[in-house]
Amino acid sequence: MLTVRAPATSANLGSGFDVFGAALERPADIVRVERAEETTIEMSGAGSEFIPEDPAKNTAGAVAEALDAPARIKIDKGVRPASGLGSSAASAAGAALALNELYDRGLSRSELVPIAAEGEALVSGEAHQDNVAPALLGGFTIVADDGVTQVDSSIPLVVCLPDIVVSTRDARRVVPDSTSVENMVDTVGRAATLTVGMHREDPAMVGRGMEDNVVTPARAKLIDGYDAVRDAALDAGAMGVTVSGAGPGVIAACYESDRSAIAGAMLDAFDDVGVDSRAYQTRIGDGPTVYR
Ligand SMILES: Nc1ncnc2c1ncn2[C@@H]1O[C@H](COP(=O)(O)OP(=O)(O)O)[C@@H](O)[C@H]1O
Ligand SMILES: N[C@@H](CCOP(=O)(O)O)C(=O)O
């Protein structure tokens, strides 16, 4: 079977709601495909018991349909669903790349972004591309109406994933409809700082750019212990902390030497409020890899 390793991703990064995204070195989904008369899907791995195998309800199935590429698809989930780590996008991006290869469709990774986003439309109600773009292109990505911009980066990160489920669909409902000009000015400044920080590989600038007064405060309320976890990470040396995607994952940008202490502090802080969690010491990484 043709095999693709597709990375977890973190969208928004605070100031870039529905715009910024980053591929994570780990965790990742493994997607295997072979040609078939009709599409079937077998799921295994983290949280797979909560993911429908019906192709009409699975992001990989939506991609097979969009590419007109029926296949026997096996997905080993490394990225737990409803995590804020682009779980649904990892499978969609992995399937898009794998089926493009399997059927020699000849589409570029950029051309596969809107196709993989069909999977996001299926599960969250909107074809937002801020997870599938980094899942396919790697690095740091900016999704705008007129296209996607990508820059390689390798900023060290800690992602702490509590044992809480927050669906992207639910977390999109708490996003405010409007904001003040003051908040808009602050957000533009933060987003610009973060973008330059990615280009310069500067964790301190990226961290400053992760502040957000608009979407993150509303979503933080859905995550037990968020404020304590954020404070603990900052005390342990994080340069910036925010909700990963729609949550409940919490992401910290940092220097590599502080990663282990930050991971321990975040785990302890969740534990103090009675929430089990796991931490990934990771970094911004590459896009998917194809194995033949
Ligand atoms: N291949 C898939 N991988 C992960 N989740 C999937 C997949 N196909 C469908 N889903 C559904 O998508 C939802 C998880 O997506 P979402 O809420 O966006 O979480 P995440 O932030 O982890 O991407 C769950 O309801 C899950 O059942
Ligand atoms: N921009 C989206 C990103 C959702 O990411 P996920 O990893 O939680 O699916 C949003 O914030 O709703």
Side-chain angles (χ1 to χ4, degrees), residues 72-233:
R72 178 172 175 227
I73 303 174
K74 289 184 168 190
I75 302 174
D76 186 9
K77 296 296 296 178
V79 192
R80 191 202 85 184
S83 58
L85 298 178
S87 175
S88 47
S91 293
L97 190 62
L99 294 171
N100 183 52
E101 294 280 324
L102 189 70
Y103 278 89
D104 292 324
R105 292 279 189 260
L107 297 172
S108 68
R109 291 185 181 209
S110 297
E111 287 169 331
L112 290 172
V113 169
I115 288 165
E118 292 296 320
E120 296 293 67
L122 181 74
V123 297
S124 72
E126 287 172 61
H128 60 91
Q129 299 186 352
D130 50 348
N131 287 109
V132 288
L136 278 161
L137 305 176
F140 168 65
T141 52
I142 301 170
V143 172
D145 282 348
D146 58 353
V148 178
T149 304
Q150 188 273 358
V151 62
D152 288 336
S153 191
S154 61
I155 298 284
L157 302 167
V158 177
V159 180
C160 196
L161 182 56
D163 231 342
I164 302 169
V165 169
V166 175
S167 87
T168 305
R169 194 181 277 269
D170 291 344
R172 290 186 80 79
R173 291 202 187 103
V174 305
V175 174
D177 287 333
S178 59
T179 190
S180 63
V181 170
E182 191 187 345
N183 275 339
M184 189 194 78
V185 171
D186 183 65
T187 304
V188 171
R190 298 281 179 187
T193 304
L194 186 145
T195 304
V196 174
M198 288 291 181
H199 197 60
R200 290 189 187 167
E201 302 268 12
D202 181 336
M205 284 186 85
V206 170
R208 275 173 29 225
M210 284 165 72
E211 287 292 320
D212 159 51
N213 294 324
V214 182
V215 178
T216 309
R219 286 186 162 175
K221 293 185 187 134
L222 305 176
I223 305 169
D224 293 340
Y226 175 80
D227 289 339
V229 170
R230 181 174 188 276
D231 290 349

Side-chain angles (χ1 to χ4, degrees), residues 23-37:
L24 307 184
E25 199 174 63
R26 58 185 281 264
D29 279 7
I30 305 294
V31 180
R32 295 187 175 87
V33 295
E34 66 185 13
R35 287 190 189 222
E37 288 294 311

Side-chain angles (χ1 to χ4, degrees), residues 9-10 13 22-26 154-160 198 203 206 210 240 250-256 258-260 262-263 266 279-285:
T9 49
S10 183
L13 302 171
L24 307 184
E25 199 174 63
R26 58 185 281 264
S154 61
I155 298 284
L157 302 167
V158 177
V159 180
C160 196
M198 288 291 181
V206 170
M210 284 165 72
V250 181
I251 185 167
C254 60
Y255 290 93
E256 188 155 344
D258 294 323
R259 232 173 16 182
S260 161
I262 293 165
M266 293 171 89
Y280 298 96
Q281 296 183 46
T282 184
R283 62 173 57 254
I284 299 180

